[in-house]
């Protein structure tokens, strides 16, 4: 039942999900934390282990000096941190107290800083022949302080926040890959034998309350929301990891009209079921309209921004170009558009449809690719569910030509938002 629903909705995503163009992104770790699954426990184990190894080395080196009382203090704090590492590996839910962890890390950092100041002072007072005695402890302290900084960043990251508060809001611009990511997350859960719910905003076609549409139309169940959530919670507890309840693109369909009146109660409903993780995605331009700002301020939702291929543009371009049998250019693709998966996909398709296997030089070749890109946008916006105009009118081309003409006629370096809107 879970598999059929997920696969059907992934199919309805159409071109927004292409399995063969899948690139593993670091953002996926947030969903492991939300699920509290085995991968999440592996991430925790690795982070705690790396931290403990570096701190142990430093404290062992320092124990050979005087003032062992301070080293004992740091060892006691490290013991508390390792205790939390052990608790975090349990399958049953233990709230990871980040405040306590930070407090213990602060104790360790204080001892390291004190010894660093002490050794730095000795170094400055001794001649160079005697300085080698303190080089090893100083090096270990430097390494340990780097480990402390990395560990504090991890403690304060959204990964631990999601593990404790399983309500995620995925935000990003159009075409950045939100739907693709969520479809991939859902399919991976199903393939690994874990239950998952994936619903699409485009299927919310009326202004009825969300639960009415979910139960009667989208899932076709004869029960109320409490019965459904209770059953899903029991299912998740049996599978020993949270069940993800995903709604992609809440701004689509009729969502922008009914969600503002219902989203508070909808999110609160899930807070009564600890084995369920709620995931909502939304286009960034609709964020303030649909999601109450106070929900984010009160930590009732953890906001994650999807940056697409930002930072890995070269790897992503290489992969997409290889899939379309296009040669990589000799000059790196530095345009920010190439961090947008939809643009990169349409760019490659434009080259392929033009019978090209490399990016053409000069304006003529690039113009044909951009034309294809604009036509694809025109086709989408001409659909009845968007603006429902005859595709042959080429509205997008007229808008762009109008903007260009306006800039040239008035010798403008930029166009104001108001003028562009008109």
């Amino acid at each position: 039942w879970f598999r059929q629903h997920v696969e059907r909705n992934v199919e309805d995503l159409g071109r927004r999900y292409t399995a063969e163009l899948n690139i593993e992104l670091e953002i996926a770790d947030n969903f492991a934390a939300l699920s509290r699954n085995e991968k999440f426990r592996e991430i925790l184990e690795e982070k705690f282990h790396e931290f403990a190894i570096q701190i142990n080395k430093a404290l062992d080196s320092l124990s050979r000096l005087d003032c062992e009382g301070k080293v004992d203090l740091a060892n006691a704090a490290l013991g508390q941190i390792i205790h939390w590492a052990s608790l975090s590996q349990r399958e049953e839910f233990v709230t990871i107290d980040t405040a306590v962890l930070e407090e213990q890390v602060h104790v360790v950092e204080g001892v390291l800083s004190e010894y660093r100041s002490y050794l730095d002072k000795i170094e400055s007072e001794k001649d160079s022949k005697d300085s080698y005695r303190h080089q090893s402890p100083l090096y270990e302290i430097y390494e340990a302080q780097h480990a402390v900084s990395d560990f504090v960043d991890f403690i304060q990251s959204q990964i631990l926040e999601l593990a404790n508060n399983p309500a995620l809001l995925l935000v990003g611009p159009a075409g950045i890959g939100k739907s693709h990511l969520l479809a991939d997350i859902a399919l991976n859960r199903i393939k690994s034998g874990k239950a998952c719910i994936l619903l699409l905003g485009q299927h919310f076609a009326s202004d009825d309350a969300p639960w009415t549409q979910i139960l009667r139309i989208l899932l076709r169940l004869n029960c109320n929301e409490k019965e459904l959530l209770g059953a899903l919670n029991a299912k998740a507890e049996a599978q020993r990891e949270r069940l993800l309840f995903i709604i992609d693109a809440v701004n689509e369909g009729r969502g922008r009209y009914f969600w503002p009146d219902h989203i508070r109660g909808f999110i609160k409903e899930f807070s009564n079921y600890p084995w369920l993780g709620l995931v909502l995605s939304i286009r960034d331009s609709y964020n303030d309209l649909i999601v109450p700002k106070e929900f984010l301020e009160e930590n009732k939702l953890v906001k994650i921004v999807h940056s697409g291929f930002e930072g890995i543009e070269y790897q992503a371009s290489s992969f997409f170009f290889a899939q379309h049998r296009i040669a990589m250019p000799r000059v790196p693709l530095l345009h920010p558009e190439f961090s947008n998966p939809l643009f990169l996909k349409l760019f490659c398709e434009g080259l392929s449809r033009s019978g090209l296997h490399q990016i053409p030089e000069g304006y003529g070749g690039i113009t044909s690719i951009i034309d294809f890109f604009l036509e694809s946008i025109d086709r989408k916006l001409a659909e009845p569910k968007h603006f429902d105009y005859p595709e042959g009118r080429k509205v997008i081309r007229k808008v762009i030509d109008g903007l260009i003409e306006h800039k040239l006629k008035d010798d403008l370096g930029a166009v104001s938002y108001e003028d562009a809107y008109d």
Side-chain angles (χ1 to χ4, degrees), residues 184-236:
D184 199 55
I185 294 290
L187 285 173
N188 284 334
R189 294 294 185 280
I190 294 299
K191 288 173 185 174
S192 63
K194 305 296 184 182
C196 181
I197 298 281
L198 173 66
L199 304 175
L200 306 183
Q202 67 197 50
H203 289 160
F204 287 80
S206 75
D207 291 350
D208 291 336
W211 279 120
T212 301
Q213 298 187 64
I214 290 170
L215 293 167
R216 301 289 181 266
I217 301 169
L218 305 183
L219 297 180
R220 298 181 183 180
L221 294 171
N222 186 25
C223 63
N224 61 41
E225 59 267 30
K226 287 184 171 56
E227 291 169 328
L228 171 63
L229 294 176
L232 294 178
N233 194 70
K235 175 73 174 174

